[in-house]
Amino acid sequence: MLHSEMEGENRLHRILGPWQLTGLGVGAIIGTGIFVLTGVAAHDHTGPALMLSFVVSGLACVFAALCYAEFASMAPVAGSAYTYAYATLGELFAWIIGWDLVLEYAVASSTVAHGWSHYFQDFLNIFGQKVLGKESLVLPHALTNAPFDYDTATGAFVSTGTVLDFPALAIAAIMTVLLVRGIRESARVNSTMVIIKLAVVMFVIGVGAFYVNPANWHPFAPFGLAGVSFFGHTIAGQTGAGGEPLGMLAGAAIIFFAYIGFDAVSTQAEEAKNPKRDVPFGIIASLVVCTILYIAVSAVLTGMVPYDQINVDAPVSAAFGHAGLPWAQFLVSLGAMAGITSVLLVMMLSQPRILLAMARDGLIPKSFFGAVHGKFRTPYKGTIATGIFVGTLASFLPLRILAELVNIGTLLAFVMVCSAVLVMRKINPTAERPFRAPWFPFIPIMGILTCLLLMFSLPPENWVRLIVWLAIGFLIYFGYGKRHSVLGKSHAAHK
Ligand code: ALA
């Protein structure tokens, strides 16, 4: 069934090899999470125990990645977890995952665009001061941020006095144009940015290490090592003024965002030259590389600056400012911008391809989301729709709310993918599996448990947001998808 999906018209070009796929993975992974969210996590939730948060979150992702890799090797078509769910758990579950993946890709892109805007503004500021010799170069306040934010201390929404985040809107528009033009050009731009980003991360680790003061690592876990709540009731660890869990696990649930993206490799399966072998390789290789780098960066960051002085907008570049190295701050903010751009590119590349897969199954309008451009061979209408959605959310909603919503949605998708591996092995034990998740069933079960734990370590209001999101999804499915689905129509025809 899945392989038959790979035939027919409207196919995409097969041009990506294993290292390009790993590059796309790393391109999708290292971004706003490590460059921006580490600040909030260390400052408000973990202290230096952020290093451990990266270990825990990385472990959850490794379990899920092994399950993704098994599926990706079995079903090397566009659409990622959505396609796997379609084949194993049926249409309704597939729809839930597909709808959930909109959180993972489109809403994540908005979060990432916001993070880009922080570094862009940091960069403008230093550029103005150091290069142009002005006080600083700043945008009009009205254009710098989303118009409101959520205050964790009071648990209420507060006005920021701005109108919209203009740089975030601008970068979303630029990416959309680039992506409509084609994946080959996009892959080339991406490779350059991935190299710059890796160089900057190495720089942060290599140079930053000389400015580490081990005294800053004490106390190691000022908020404790836990942070779990069950729908508002604290189960383990401390709780903040607004009711959110605090501690190492709570930090892990926030910086989980930094790992999102490894599964983007699987959405590019249809454009891979040898997807059965290269997609699992790309997923696991990119995740392992990033985990190691993250632990090192968080050790350096919390060693350079006392945790309660870590900057929450552009923490990594600010740490170099703190160390008295303005040129390094300049370099890091430039590199972070390039790095975050590459995340945006891959995320915004992936979303229309998931929509394409859903459109092929008739769950969303095929004439729109299934349309492939005659010359560029890209799903251009879906790409433009994604661009508008990303730009709007990024302009008007606050970063932290977007990031947490993305995390809970993605964690749910991971839980479903791990469950689907368990189900598939049971109902279809003899299917060809070029890559098998090892230590079955330990890996998928641990994947489910660790992802659930992280879901309960997020501020509890995210459950409500997730349920509202899923409810909107059900409305669309029962209002449109179920009646137009290819599967539904073929069942009706056989009656
Ligand atoms: N992992 C990606 C980032 O941190 C989404 O920007």
Side-chain angles (χ1 to χ4, degrees):
M1 164 173 173
L2 282 166
H3 290 275
S4 64
E5 273 200 30
M6 296 168 61
E7 286 139 26
E9 295 166 18
N10 281 354
R11 292 292 112 190
L12 308 170
H13 285 304
R14 289 200 175 277
I15 52 167
L16 303 172
W19 293 108
Q20 268 167 318
L21 286 167
T22 307
L24 278 170
V26 173
I29 299 174
I30 302 182
T32 291
I34 189 74
F35 285 116
V36 181
L37 291 171
T38 40
V40 183
H43 188 276
D44 297 342
H45 294 86
T46 63
L50 182 66
M51 298 173 237
L52 271 188
S53 303
F54 273 110
V55 175
V56 172
S57 213
L59 259 181
C61 291
V62 167
F63 295 138
L66 290 167
C67 296
Y68 260 96
E70 173 164 328
F71 267 131
S73 74
M74 292 171 78
V77 288
S80 178
Y82 162 76
T83 317
Y84 315 148
Y86 206 105
T88 52
L89 304 173
E91 188 175 274
L92 180 62
F93 270 99
W95 169 260
I96 298 174
I97 290 207
W99 183 242
D100 202 31
L101 289 182
V102 176
L103 282 183
E104 185 182 345
Y105 291 95
V107 183
S109 302
S110 318
T111 321
V112 174
H114 248 311
W116 188 88
S117 168
H118 284 185
Y119 271 91
F120 177 70
Q121 294 181 44
D122 185 55
F123 170 78
L124 270 189
N125 196 0
I126 319 167
F127 187 78
Q129 281 178 24
K130 302 292 167 200
V131 182
L132 303 180
K134 294 189 179 165
E135 270 292 271
S136 64
L137 204 58
V138 285
L139 292 175
H141 182 64
L143 303 181
T144 53
N145 206 348
F148 68 96
D149 204 351
Y150 185 75
D151 185 355
T152 38
T154 58
F157 288 102
V158 288
S159 160
T160 55
T162 60
V163 177
L164 62 97
D165 188 330
F166 180 74
L169 180 66
I171 191 72
I174 296 171
M175 288 298 112
T176 307
V177 173
L178 200 60
L179 286 170
V180 167
R181 291 194 52 85
I183 189 167
R184 196 186 298 264
E185 286 72 17
S186 317
R188 204 172 302 138
V189 175
N190 188 59
S191 311
T192 315
M193 288 187 298
V194 170
I195 292 168
I196 296 177
K197 162 159 77 182
L198 282 176
V200 164
V201 171
M202 298 293 193
F203 176 89
V204 169
I205 299 169
V207 176
F210 289 99
Y211 293 86
V212 165
N213 173 6
N216 289 336
W217 287 328
H218 304 285
F220 182 69
F223 301 94
L225 289 175
V228 187
S229 85
F230 191 70
F231 300 109
H233 302 285
T234 305
I235 296 185
Q238 306 174 19
T239 313
E244 79 283 8
L246 300 179
M248 187 276 290
L249 276 178
I254 291 178
I255 53 84
F256 170 77
F257 189 86
Y259 286 107
I260 293 176
F262 67 82
D263 53 317
V265 175
S266 64
T267 64
Q268 259 95 66
E270 203 171 301
E271 282 137 297
K273 284 184 201 144
N274 185 352
K276 287 187 179 178
R277 192 196 59 200
D278 297 346
V279 171
F281 177 89
I283 291 177
I284 292 166
S286 51
L287 185 58
V288 168
V289 169
C290 294
T291 308
I292 296 169
L293 294 177
Y294 283 173
I295 296 170
V297 169
S298 50
V300 166
L301 181 67
T302 51
M304 284 175 80
V305 187
Y307 78 89
D308 52 357
Q309 291 171 33
I310 289 178
N311 179 300
V312 291
D313 286 326
V316 186
S317 64
F320 286 87
H322 185 271
L325 303 172
W327 59 274
Q329 181 176 9
F330 183 75
L331 210 68
V332 172
S333 71
L334 202 63
M337 264 164 64
I340 298 176
T341 310
S342 73
V343 174
L344 203 52
L345 191 71
V346 181
M347 292 261 153
M348 289 178 69
L349 175 76
S350 304
Q351 180 65 74
R353 280 152 184 79
I354 293 170
L355 295 173
L356 177 68
M358 293 165 83
R360 283 179 185 156
D361 295 329
L363 296 181
I364 50 178
K366 192 171 177 184
S367 56
F368 189 87
F369 293 102
V372 173
H373 194 282
K375 178 158 164 241
F376 302 132
R377 308 301 300 159
T378 51
Y380 69 115
K381 289 187 186 170
T383 305
I384 293 171
T386 302
I388 294 173
F389 182 82
V390 170
T392 311
L393 259 57
S395 312
F396 297 113
L397 294 185
L399 191 141
R400 220 180 56 89
I401 290 194
L402 289 171
E404 288 170 4
L405 184 61
V406 171
N407 285 2
I408 199 160
T410 308
L411 285 162
L412 178 67
F414 286 6
V415 168
M416 291 204 250
V417 167
C418 294
S419 315
V421 163
L422 286 174
V423 173
M424 192 69 168
R425 291 260 190 130
K426 184 126 189 93
I427 60 173
N428 200 347
T430 55
E432 195 196 338
R433 289 176 170 80
F435 176 85
R436 297 174 78 88
W439 303 325
F440 187 85
F442 175 77
I443 295 283
I445 290 176
M446 284 307 289
I448 294 170
L449 294 179
T450 46
C451 290
L452 277 175
L453 180 66
L454 292 182
M455 288 170 88
F456 285 109
S457 294
L458 280 167
E461 64 271 13
N462 288 290
W463 281 93
V464 179
R465 295 181 193 144
L466 179 67
I467 290 166
V468 170
W469 178 263
L470 292 176
I472 299 173
F474 279 122
L475 283 179
I476 300 178
Y477 177 71
F478 289 106
Y480 180 94
K482 195 168 163 50
R483 285 188 286 127
H484 293 83
S485 94
V486 174
L487 200 67
K489 280 187 185 153
S490 75
H491 280 174
H494 286 105
K495 272 187 191 152

